[in-house]
Amino acid sequence: MVLLKKAELKGDVNWRKNRKMNLILLGAPGSGKGTQALKLSDKYKIPHISTGDIFREAIKKKDALSIKVKQIVEEGGLVPDDIVVEIVLRELEQESNSKGFVLDGFPRTLGQAESLDKSFKKHLEVLYIKLEEEEVIKRLSGRRICKKCGKGYHLIFNHPQKENICDSCSGELYQRKDDEELTIKKRLLFYEKHIGDVLSFYEKQGNLFIVEGNKPIGEVFSLLCKAIKE
Ligand code: ADP
Ligand code: AMP
């Protein structure tokens, strides 16, 4: 990894121990970002920041943010860049003393990536989970979420031990409104429109890692951990 290797060359023998895990997970909706973010958060003891979770929580609480984003999120649109950027920068400020973070669902547009770059000057490691559309649709249509703790499951690939009940907290599982067929299609159109620019942006910076997402959860996780350690 470019910057870390520089530190190593300068003779900073503790660079690996002192490094911050500032991770960004990119990928289509349903590519497994949330699933992997939870595992990375657990392994590296870093907070998981999901913009989607922040919006869903606001909608549940019906707070001021909910008024601005409810319709957009439920219909599969993109929340305006200025709103998302402000939220993410605030979250990152709060986590400035942690060992890093894993950001899931942001940036989704070039504008978001550029705004983050202007305000957050620390090194980022960007991990892109690559998955073809056919698989993404299967994943999203079978996804179920715990109403209580937000943990994600899949009816076929990652099902709970007891039907419709969360393994971790016994909460009831539900299907996200934006995981219905028409909304999935709309979300994928937005994703396809922007992802190329976001990937090019990080590719130019030399901190982009591409990981194959069409493998079992544990294998994708191993690939991500390997990419981080390189
Ligand atoms: P994202 O956060 O990118 O939208 P999720 O992590 O919620 O995606 O995963 C989408 C769905 O696919 C969930 O139902 C999850 O359980 C399932 N899933 C995640 N990773 C895999 C995988 N590697 N193989 C099969 N199913 C997976
Ligand atoms: P996710 O949980 O990542 O699938 O996000 C759910 C929804 O929240 C998206 O379909 C968008 O409506 C909204 N959202 C989440 N992150 C962003 C973002 N970075 N930019 C714009 N909208 C977002």
Side-chain angles (χ1 to χ4, degrees), residues 35-36 38-41 43-44 211 216-226:
T35 305
Q36 299 297 334
L38 277 177
K39 292 172 81 64
L40 290 165
S41 161
K43 175 169 170 136
Y44 294 111
V211 164
I217 293 171
E219 279 182 44
V220 177
F221 184 58
S222 301
L223 290 174
L224 290 170
C225 294
K226 200 169 149 227

Side-chain angles (χ1 to χ4, degrees), residues 103-139:
L103 197 45
D104 151 20
F106 180 96
R108 261 178 160 92
T109 64
L110 179 61
Q112 293 178 13
E114 287 173 340
S115 300
L116 179 66
D117 191 59
K118 265 189 218 139
S119 306
F120 186 82
K121 292 292 173 199
K122 294 172 196 151
H123 182 62
L124 290 168
E125 293 171 45
V126 183
L127 304 153
Y128 172 56
I129 306 178
K130 196 178 76 172
L131 192 65
E132 59 279 18
E133 187 173 316
E134 200 186 325
E135 194 60 31
V136 158
I137 292 171
K138 277 192 219 157
R139 297 246 188 118

Side-chain angles (χ1 to χ4, degrees), residues 28-35 104 139 142-144 152-154 157-158 213 215-217 220:
S31 57
K33 301 180 300 295
T35 305
D104 151 20
R139 297 246 188 118
R143 171 160 66 186
R144 296 294 181 270
Y153 293 89
H154 192 280
F157 309 132
N158 179 25
K215 294 181 180 295
I217 293 171
V220 177

Side-chain angles (χ1 to χ4, degrees), residues 29-30 33 50-53 55-56 69 72-74 76-81 84 88 104-109 112 143 176 178 187:
K33 301 180 300 295
S50 153
T51 44
D53 283 351
F55 294 137
R56 279 184 290 277
V69 303
I72 301 173
V73 171
E74 289 181 351
L78 284 184
V79 172
D81 284 356
V84 196
V88 169
D104 151 20
F106 180 96
R108 261 178 160 92
T109 64
Q112 293 178 13
R143 171 160 66 186
R176 269 168 55 174
D178 59 348
R187 287 161 69 205

